[in-house]
Amino acid sequence: MRVVICGGGVIGACTAYFLSRRGIDVIVVERTEVAAAASGKAGGFLALDWCAGSPLDALARRSFALHAALPGEIAGNWGYRRMTAYSGYVVAERDARRHVRADLDWLCDGVIIASRLGTTATTAIVHPRAFTTAMMNAAQGHGTELRLGRITGIVRRADGSSVGGVEVDGGVIEADAVVVAMGPWSLVAAGWMVLPAVFGRRSPSLVYDTGKDVPADALFLEYQEDSGAVVTVEVFPRADGSTHITAFSDEAPLPLDPAAVTPDSGAIDRLQAISERLSPMFRADRIIARQACFRPVTQDGLPLIGKVPRSEGAYVASGHNVWGILNAPATGEALAELIVDGVTRSTDLAPFDPIRLRSLDPSLLRSG
Ligand SMILES: Cc1cc2nc3c(=O)[nH]c(=O)nc-3n(C[C@H](O)[C@H](O)[C@H](O)COP(=O)(O)OP(=O)(O)OC[C@H]3O[C@@H](n4cnc5c(N)ncnc54)[C@H](O)[C@@H]3O)c2cc1C
């Protein structure tokens, strides 16, 4: 059996790993490079039980367990480590309490910790680019082939209802099954088959070289800007000595080429000004990346994972929103079971069945 995976982000890499471990012949086709998009630019934060009470709970718990087990199973160092997570707020400049000493000694005065959200039993982090690359390398170790190329369509068998391969740069790769895992670019695939829309929401992020100066404390802080707007700033110190900071998002148009994603300079300036209020560690000369990425979002906020309606042999795994790095391992594991065995055992994918959402009309997308 040959499976072609469209997209070399964290979802494509994890799906390739779990399929190839079952002895399946896998080809991953990636347009730019592995982890070129959100999977290389995310924070990498993981939480065991933050999806409790939502349909994502089982997927998140299984993924959290797989993240803990994978460092013992495959080669590479992607900085997996347990951490503590806190919520809090930053006192406004005009407020006299801005001189109140911070609860954590690496933060500026006026940064108040309100509660502990997670402990080393429930929260952790990976370096997302290194994790995605390690999963792809492990898949390649099991025989997966990685091809650089742009997928431009699917090929249907003579009966019209089943999929027989993909079109890549003018050629065809034949396959028994095709997995669409192109993050927000999965929208393009809705022109090839009956698929609900996946949109992209852009967020800026800054990465600082903080070495060993910042401990393993993830922060979720409310910050009131001069305009009066309150934003949540997320701070993720990683094991490689980099600290990732992100906040807010916008609805910028998604460039067709993933390599053309750039941050809005105003958003980066705003984020830099906020970061400087948080800790003396976040000085401008410590910035090592100013970037943006689009997280893939669906109409109901839940991912699409499962069979594509009315296209035998086609599967989708996209729309993982803010939890794609966390939920990639259990997505790949369960999707591999669905493709190879026809049923899932590890995680129930029913809540993510694409059939729950209205699909786009492919002819509208084809006509532009
Ligand atoms: C700022 C930010 C912070 C985040 N932080 C976290 C976090 O802390 N924890 C967490 O769990 N999640 C986080 N996320 C979410 C997470 O990054 C995403 O959900 C996840 O990376 C999506 O992975 P993906 O593989 O579906 O898509 P992508 O990473 O977008 O990968 C899609 C791939 O498909 C390729 N592609 C596109 N078109 C084609 C084509 N025609 N042919 C071939 N290849 C193609 C692209 O080049 C790309 O490599 C964050 C997201 C953002 C934006």
Side-chain angles (χ1 to χ4, degrees):
M1 184 184 199
R2 176 193 276 175
V3 180
V4 169
I5 298 176
C6 314
V10 72
I11 302 298
C14 287
T15 306
Y17 171 70
F18 283 101
L19 276 171
S20 59
R21 233 177 48 163
R22 300 281 307 267
I24 302 299
D25 175 14
V26 180
I27 300 177
V28 177
V29 183
E30 163 55 45
R31 173 175 173 152
T32 309
E33 60 175 3
V34 170
S39 302
K41 294 175 183 162
F45 181 71
L46 316 173
L48 170 72
D49 52 5
W50 290 20
C51 299
S54 95
L56 284 170
D57 191 37
L59 189 73
R61 286 177 187 274
R62 177 67 187 156
S63 286
F64 194 81
L66 288 169
H67 272 290
L70 283 166
E73 287 173 19
I74 68 174
N77 176 7
W78 52 94
Y80 174 82
R81 71 166 164 178
R82 300 293 186 125
M83 69 194 318
T84 311
Y86 298 99
S87 71
Y89 60 96
V90 183
V91 176
E93 276 296 337
R94 58 183 178 281
D95 193 318
R97 287 175 307 149
R98 73 181 186 281
H99 298 299
V100 173
R101 235 192 123 117
D103 300 287
L104 302 174
D105 62 9
W106 59 278
L107 298 175
C108 293
D109 289 353
V111 180
I112 311 296
I113 297 300
S115 68
R116 196 175 62 186
L117 299 173
T119 67
T120 51
T122 59
T123 44
I125 198 159
V126 294
H127 194 294
R129 179 183 299 280
F131 173 66
T132 305
T133 304
M135 292 305 286
M136 190 66 84
N137 288 342
Q140 288 176 279
H142 287 291
T144 290
E145 186 189 333
L146 173 63
R147 282 200 206 170
L148 283 187
R150 182 165 73 99
I151 307 216
T152 52
I154 53 158
V155 177
R156 289 190 181 272
R157 295 194 194 282
D159 66 3
S161 67
S162 58
V163 169
V166 292
E167 294 169 5
V168 183
D169 298 326
V172 168
I173 304 176
E174 291 186 3
D176 302 295
V178 171
V179 179
V180 175
M182 301 191 297
W185 292 276
S186 302
L187 181 66
V188 178
W192 314 331
M193 49 182 103
V194 175
L195 210 55
V198 180
F199 306 96
R201 278 197 71 87
R202 185 176 66 169
S203 290
S205 54
L206 289 169
V207 184
Y208 290 85
D209 176 7
T210 46
K212 293 187 189 314
D213 298 335
V214 172
D217 298 332
L219 304 178
F220 294 80
L221 300 171
E222 291 204 344
Y223 181 95
Q224 186 169 30
E225 295 186 278
D226 293 340
S227 64
V230 177
V231 297
T232 302
V233 195
E234 302 178 5
V235 180
F236 300 128
R238 304 189 287 211
D240 68 345
S242 66
T243 297
H244 181 281
I245 304 186
T246 186
F248 43 83
S249 60
D250 63 23
E251 277 174 6
L254 178 73
L256 270 181
D257 181 356
V261 173
T262 49
D264 172 71
S265 62
I268 287 289
D269 291 347
R270 254 172 92 192
L271 189 58
Q272 191 174 333
I274 296 172
S275 304
E276 283 170 9
R277 280 278 280 121
L278 304 184
S279 168
M281 307 305 160
F282 305 140
R283 291 192 319 261
D285 62 342
R286 287 194 175 209
I287 295 176
I288 50 177
R290 293 175 172 84
Q291 58 191 18
C293 59
F294 285 82
R295 58 192 154 84
V297 187
T298 61
Q299 248 170 297
D300 63 1
L302 295 176
L304 306 174
I305 316 171
K307 290 184 177 181
V308 174
R310 290 190 264 155
S311 289
E312 188 65 32
Y315 299 81
V316 61
S318 186
H320 286 69
N321 204 343
V322 296
W323 288 121
I325 307 299
L326 168 66
N327 287 330
T331 296
E333 181 187 45
L335 194 57
E337 291 165 359
L338 185 66
I339 294 170
V340 180
D341 307 324
V343 287
T344 57
R345 287 180 315 277
S346 54
T347 308
D348 179 13
L349 294 180
F352 315 119
D353 192 331
I355 208 140
R356 74 186 187 277
L357 294 175
R358 236 183 88 214
S359 293
L360 291 173
D361 177 349
S363 66
L364 288 178
L365 279 159
R366 277 199 294 273
S367 62

